[in-house]
Amino acid sequence: MKRFASGFCFILLLLLFFSCGGKAGEAIHVNQIGFHPLAEKTAVVTDQKAPDAGIFHVIDEETGQVAWSGNATATGTWTWAGARMAVIDFTEFQAPGIYRIQNENGQLVSPRFAIRDTAYVPLTRAALRAFYYNRASTALEPEYAGRWARAAGHPDTLVLIHASAESPDRPGGTAISSPGGWYDAGDYNKYIVNSGISTYTLLAAHEHFPGFFGGLSAGIPETGDGMPDILSEARWNLEWMLTMQDPGDGGVYHKLTSPQFSGVVMPHEDTDPRYVVKKTTAAALNFAAVMAVASRVFEPHDPGFASLCLSAARAAWEWAVAHPEVYYRQTEMNERHRPEIATGEYGDADVTDEFDWAATELYLATGMPEYRQALDTERLLDPVVPNWRDVRALACISAARQFMPDGLAAGRADLSPADRRLADASAQCILNLAGTLRDEYRASALRVSMGHDRRDFVWGSNAVAMNHSILLIQAWRLTGERSWLDAAQANLDYVLGRNPTGYSFVTGFGSHTPMFPHHRPSAADDNSDPVPGFLVGGPQSGQQDGCTYPSNLPALSYLDDWCSYSTNEVAINWNAPLVYVAGALQAIFQDKKTGTTGL
Ligand code: G3I
Ligand code: 9MR
């Protein structure tokens, strides 16, 4: 898409929006994809003043008939958007079809949505295919990429060792080959810690829901080769990550990057030199954790690859133990080395969580006591929502799954005392954190856990919502209680349109979606619509890009414009939890494994 179309289309969208009924500040927001028949189903009415707790109708789009009627309940002000809310709960309505919601006089009308058994199958597939669209070093063929086919770019077969990364065997300026992997985001660089958590999340999706994800066909070149597509896609990045390890010492380069962000060009048009930059402790540990998980997940499919991953993981761990405090500080590095590097930092001055995560995954993969002894179980009790910089909760997720595959109630009697301690700490870690999220969902005027902490509205806030849901789904798996699922569903509703901006934040999925994401291929190609299946970063009031926003309120500070890289970029670590959550909810409802409250 040529980006200068944006102003014109923005005005057109505004006109369309206001001609669709409803006054400014008054609207019905709903998940624009829709629901599985068994899911909790809510819509919200927002109003600057006070939404009436009046009657609302679910209208069948085909017949125009009223299919369900009920009241909206005023829930108070959702401070993140400074607006009063009322919630319409139509969970009891389960009939498949296509619907809209409107008030009695028909002045307020929601976007259309579906209720269907396969509610999230196309979305999950598209969100996974987004990874394929972001593959580096390969052409995207029309057979798989359709209108978004493109030439290969960034072969990365001659990548220079940056001065910050040199070692005796690999002096600065010499070249290594490091092809493949995914572009991180809307830029064309590849960063270990961010691709690590993204790859983990895809591997976990398959590990936790093998039935659904094992059968999900993504229409990628590997489809039909006997390997689940989600594992093939993850392997595309794992193979790249393996090339980022220095075979001389086991250390892992922090990133593979051009010195500056490229212009708004297609991949093959960006021919700037590329470098691997500085080995860091965070990169080594993140790599070690993900490779250990990969060894576990790939064991039944490809034992040779699994064992390669495990050796790489162990070597990276050894490097990190010997270099426990090598942090990535770009400004400092630029004072000492040339060329200057200006791309994404992904800096992290606390790697205790990376140590805990890597130790846990290596222990789960090998059973070797040395890894368990390196783990501080106490620290697992105080986790935060997982993100590229804080991965401690991932240790809890993996250990809880490994030791309690059938949930808490199934018992842990046959575990050794040490494993039992780890199992209990992991369960507590998940239930404590998920508990605060569920409390917020229950108390929230918007009925979402987003906003449980003011840091929820950060750069990439939509992924915070999805990572909340991953935790809530773990709590459901441990306990079987339905309410965890309802809270998880609520955040998916939020990113798909039940939010005060009225956007479904996934490109191509919904009736009001981002058209101008900060994604170079989407901006530089000839298509009028962006590459589909990408979750954009979402609202947050940092406004680090200096664009002009419609509001300074955290949940309204969003702009569908190329300019807005702080709210409208796409990124692999934002899409991976979308894949997980959409697929997990589909799998769960599909299997009707909805726990003790029954459905
Ligand atoms: O560390 C502070 C914390 O102390 C403070 O309380 C908080 C308040 O907002 O900010 C914290 O730092 C934030 C940091 O992320 C860690 O969460 C910064 O404000 C915030 O600007 C920073 O955003 C990161 C952004 O890059 C800029 O560095 C995003 O998390 C990260 O997703 C994003 O990643 C970029 C890559 O650099 C390049 N590729 C695209 C990708 C997506 O936009
Ligand atoms: O395009 C870049 C985007 O991918 C990054 O996430 C973002 C933050 O690091 O930076 C963007 O590049 C901008 C640069 O930082 C400042 N000049 C404008 C660039 C975007 O047009």
Side-chain angles (χ1 to χ4, degrees):
M1 173 187 308
K2 304 297 176 210
R3 63 198 165 116
F4 305 104
S6 76
F8 171 72
C9 292
F10 180 64
I11 291 165
L12 201 69
L13 275 176
L14 270 182
L15 286 174
L16 274 173
F17 183 71
F18 286 114
S19 62
C20 288
K23 293 181 284 182
E26 245 186 354
I28 306 176
H29 299 302
V30 68
N31 175 334
Q32 295 168 23
I33 301 304
F35 308 89
H36 188 279
L38 300 179
E40 179 170 277
K41 306 173 198 75
T42 53
V44 297
V45 190
T46 59
D47 191 329
Q48 307 293 356
K49 293 172 238 110
D52 288 329
I55 301 271
F56 287 80
H57 304 297
V58 173
I59 309 283
D60 188 319
E61 285 276 324
E62 263 178 41
T63 63
Q65 300 295 306
V66 173
W68 179 92
S69 296
N71 283 305
T73 307
T75 49
T77 298
W78 198 55
T79 48
W80 306 107
R84 294 180 62 96
M85 304 284 163
V87 172
I88 306 161
D89 187 335
F90 56 107
T91 305
E92 64 181 22
F93 181 63
Q94 298 191 351
I98 301 189
Y99 304 99
R100 65 180 188 271
I101 298 176
Q102 62 186 51
N103 67 348
E104 282 228 87
N105 63 17
Q107 278 180 352
L108 297 181
V109 183
S110 81
R112 52 175 19 210
F113 61 93
I115 297 179
R116 59 166 65 108
D117 287 337
T118 53
Y120 301 132
V121 175
L123 172 67
T124 312
R125 181 174 186 271
L128 179 57
R129 282 174 52 74
F131 287 84
Y132 166 68
Y133 282 123
N134 249 29
R135 284 187 186 184
S137 321
T138 188
L140 304 187
E141 303 296 344
E143 186 184 349
Y144 310 109
R147 285 189 288 131
W148 294 280
R150 59 166 169 79
H154 307 98
D156 288 342
T157 45
L158 285 173
V159 176
L160 301 171
I161 303 284
H162 188 252
S164 63
E166 59 185 6
S167 56
D169 295 343
R170 293 179 160 189
T174 53
I176 63 165
S177 181
S178 186
W182 304 305
Y183 298 128
D184 182 54
D187 64 324
Y188 290 140
N189 306 300
K190 307 190 283 196
Y191 309 80
I192 283 291
V193 295
N194 205 46
S195 80
I197 185 172
S198 308
T199 307
Y200 169 80
T201 306
L202 296 185
L203 294 175
H206 181 271
E207 193 173 37
H208 301 177
F209 300 96
F212 175 76
F213 281 107
L216 183 70
S217 169
I220 56 177
E222 295 80 2
T223 299
D225 69 356
M227 184 75 91
D229 282 359
I230 193 168
L231 296 189
S232 298
E233 197 53 59
R235 185 166 175 163
W236 177 266
N237 200 62
L238 288 163
E239 301 269 12
W240 165 68
M241 288 179 82
L242 287 167
T243 69
M244 289 290 279
Q245 183 170 45
D246 181 347
D249 62 7
V252 178
Y253 304 110
H254 194 69
K255 60 175 171 175
L256 188 164
T257 185
S258 50
Q260 309 287 326
F261 285 114
S262 80
V264 190
V265 296
M266 294 302 283
H268 68 277
E269 296 168 314
D270 173 23
T271 52
D272 284 352
R274 312 253 286 177
Y275 292 84
V276 286
V277 179
K278 195 172 164 95
K279 295 170 201 162
T280 62
T281 312
L285 291 169
N286 186 294
F287 175 102
V290 177
M291 289 300 162
V293 176
S295 75
R296 200 165 74 214
V297 172
F298 279 92
E299 179 62 37
H301 302 278
D302 186 343
F305 181 64
S307 110
L308 186 73
C309 291
L310 189 56
S311 313
R314 297 186 64 181
W317 169 265
E318 293 306 324
W319 188 92
V321 169
H323 305 83
E325 292 180 86
V326 184
Y327 303 114
Y328 191 75
R329 295 190 177 111
Q330 197 150 272
T331 313
E332 215 172 83
M333 188 184 77
N334 283 334
E335 281 161 13
R336 299 178 47 206
H337 300 294
R338 287 289 172 272
E340 196 175 307
I341 304 289
T343 52
E345 177 157 23
Y346 287 118
D348 185 353
D350 176 355
V351 294
T352 59
D353 53 303
E354 280 80 7
F355 267 109
D356 288 344
W357 183 34
T360 302
E361 300 294 5
L362 278 159
Y363 176 60
L364 297 179
T366 64
M368 292 169 67
E370 64 174 279
Y371 296 118
R372 194 188 60 224
Q373 283 150 13
L375 172 66
D376 185 340
T377 314
E378 283 293 301
R379 286 199 303 228
L380 294 187
L381 301 179
D382 189 23
V384 298
V385 177
N387 62 75
W388 63 261
R389 200 161 67 144
D390 203 318
V391 291
R392 185 164 282 124
L394 305 181
C396 305
I397 291 174
S398 290
R401 172 64 176 55
Q402 179 108 341
F403 291 130
M404 296 165 283
D406 301 314
L408 265 176
R412 308 176 291 296
D414 51 345
L415 297 179
S416 69
D419 285 356
R420 201 187 158 107
R421 264 200 308 283
L422 179 51
D424 287 343
S426 304
Q428 206 178 322
C429 156
I430 289 167
L431 294 173
N432 285 351
L433 188 50
T436 65
L437 300 174
R438 187 177 59 178
D439 289 349
E440 179 63 23
Y441 148 81
R442 285 174 169 159
S444 153
L446 190 61
R447 219 191 259 186
V448 288
S449 62
M450 271 306 275
H452 93 296
D453 183 309
R454 52 174 283 281
R455 285 168 298 182
D456 286 352
F457 290 97
V458 285
W459 191 316
S461 61
N462 283 336
V464 175
M466 291 296 87
N467 280 310
H468 281 192
S469 290
I470 290 184
L471 285 164
L472 290 158
I473 289 166
Q474 309 314 305
W476 167 79
R477 210 189 49 71
L478 284 171
T479 64
E481 280 173 39
R482 165 73 195 235
S483 60
W484 300 112
L485 281 189
D486 294 341
Q489 172 76 43
N491 293 319
L492 186 61
D493 292 352
Y494 170 90
V495 302
L496 295 176
R498 185 163 67 75
N499 68 69
T501 69
Y503 277 93
S504 166
F505 288 115
V506 182
T507 54
F509 278 76
S511 42
H512 187 43
T513 62
M515 291 298 289
F516 308 101
H518 193 92
H519 181 232
R520 284 168 172 73
S522 292
D525 72 8
D526 291 327
N527 289 312
S528 59
D529 43 354
V531 179
F534 276 108
L535 179 67
V536 298
Q540 59 105 7
S541 49
Q543 303 183 0
Q544 292 89 339
D545 38 48
C547 314
T548 304
Y549 284 83
S551 168
N552 289 329
L553 287 163
L556 292 176
S557 178
Y558 167 74
L559 193 63
D560 179 21
D561 194 293
W562 160 264
C563 167
S564 177
Y565 53 79
S566 75
T567 73
N568 207 34
E569 190 162 357
V570 305
I572 53 174
N573 63 315
W574 306 339
N575 250 65
L578 173 65
V579 171
Y580 186 110
V581 173
L585 290 174
Q586 178 64 40
I588 292 166
F589 285 120
Q590 202 164 280
D591 292 352
K592 296 193 174 55
K593 284 188 190 158
T594 40
T596 51
T597 54
L599 281 167

